[in-house]
Structure formats: structure tokens, C-alpha cells
Amino acid sequence: MVTTEDKSGTPLPADISLANRYGGPKRTLSRKAKRGAAIAALAAGIGFLAWVSTSSAMSSVTFKDVGYRTVDATQTELDFQVSRDPGTAVKCAVKALDSKFAIVGWKVVDIPSAPAAGGAESPDGGRTVALREVLRTESQSVSAVVDSCWVPDGAK
């Protein structure tokens, strides 16, 4: 064993001088603390999964982009589908984008609870409606998408 001397000249074992220099050995968690941490992490994970599954199930409005067509530099058509609870009015924000992903056209579309003349109702009891919306654009668009859909306050 390698030894060094302290101030008084007394030799010290190497492991003590290293502990003084770099600190003592780190304490590990007890078995009880490890078990408690594992249970807490498991409970947090289960809670998160429950929140994710119920929040997505409670979302009553979903949308799907079907396609778009650029008519010219001032107009783009967007085809999309919206699924919601039957008899629920919905609003959707749709946008047209240029080649640099800048918004060149934007519109909020009202989707009434009953199918509109411009939409085609699906055979799922009115839950899904297909729409074609015309967007005016500032410049040539290269794509058009639905940004978001929501149920307006007080609508049902």
C-alpha cells in the first residue's frame, strides 16, 4: 500500500489521502429508496398514458387533407374531410403555402351541423363530411392544408 505523510509527518494510507483529495466514496440509494423511486416512476408513466389516451378520445374533431389544386397565382382549391360528432358545428382554419412554406392564403371555414350544399356527407351517419374550399392567394401556392379544427364555444 502506498503511503503519504500528513503535516505532522505521520504516514497516511493512500486510500485516505485520495479521499481527502477527491472526496469520499459516494453513497448509494438504499433498497427501499430504489423501490420507492421505481414505484413513483411507474405511477407517473401510467398516469401519463391514461392522460394521453383519454385526451385523444375526448377530441371530438379530426381532419384529414385529401388534396389541393392550384388554379392560378390568385386561387387554390383544398379538398379535406372533417369528422365530428353528428349535429356539431365546427370551424377549421385552412391555409395555402408557397415554396418557402410562407402562408400566402388563409381562411376560417364554418362547417354547419347539417351538411352544406358544398359538402358531401359520408355513410357514417353524418360524422364525416368532405369539403372543397377555395382560397384566395397573394402569390402562387405549392400546397394547401388544414391548420386546425375546433368546436366553437356554444356550438352543438
Side-chain angles (χ1 to χ4, degrees), residues 3-150:
T3 58
T4 59
E5 296 179 1
D6 65 1
K7 292 180 184 177
S8 65
T10 317
L12 294 174
D15 57 344
I16 293 176
S17 67
L18 290 176
N20 288 336
R21 180 178 289 176
Y22 299 112
K26 300 210 186 301
R27 294 187 309 170
T28 61
L29 290 175
S30 68
R31 187 174 183 189
K32 190 175 183 179
K34 287 179 185 178
R35 186 180 311 138
I39 290 171
L42 182 63
I46 290 171
F48 176 74
L49 288 175
W51 174 73
V52 167
S53 65
T54 57
S55 66
S56 64
M58 294 176 71
S59 176
S60 61
V61 181
T62 60
F63 57 88
K64 179 181 177 184
D65 297 325
V66 176
Y68 74 94
R69 183 174 77 93
T70 302
V71 178
D72 57 25
T74 63
Q75 197 173 47
T76 298
E77 292 178 350
L78 172 63
D79 294 322
F80 62 101
Q81 293 177 341
V82 177
S83 297
R84 80 277 198 243
D85 293 332
T88 302
V90 174
K91 290 187 178 216
C92 291
V94 296
K95 61 184 178 181
L97 305 170
D98 68 4
S99 61
K100 296 180 181 176
F101 302 105
I103 298 173
V104 294
W106 176 272
K107 186 177 188 179
V108 175
V109 180
D110 289 319
I111 303 168
S113 56
E121 191 169 321
S122 68
D124 64 355
R127 178 161 172 73
T128 302
V129 62
L131 297 161
R132 173 171 287 165
E133 199 58 45
V134 177
L135 291 159
R136 293 190 316 173
T137 58
E138 308 175 335
S139 61
Q140 186 81 24
S141 68
V142 297
S143 69
V145 295
V146 178
D147 186 63
S148 61
C149 291
W150 65 94

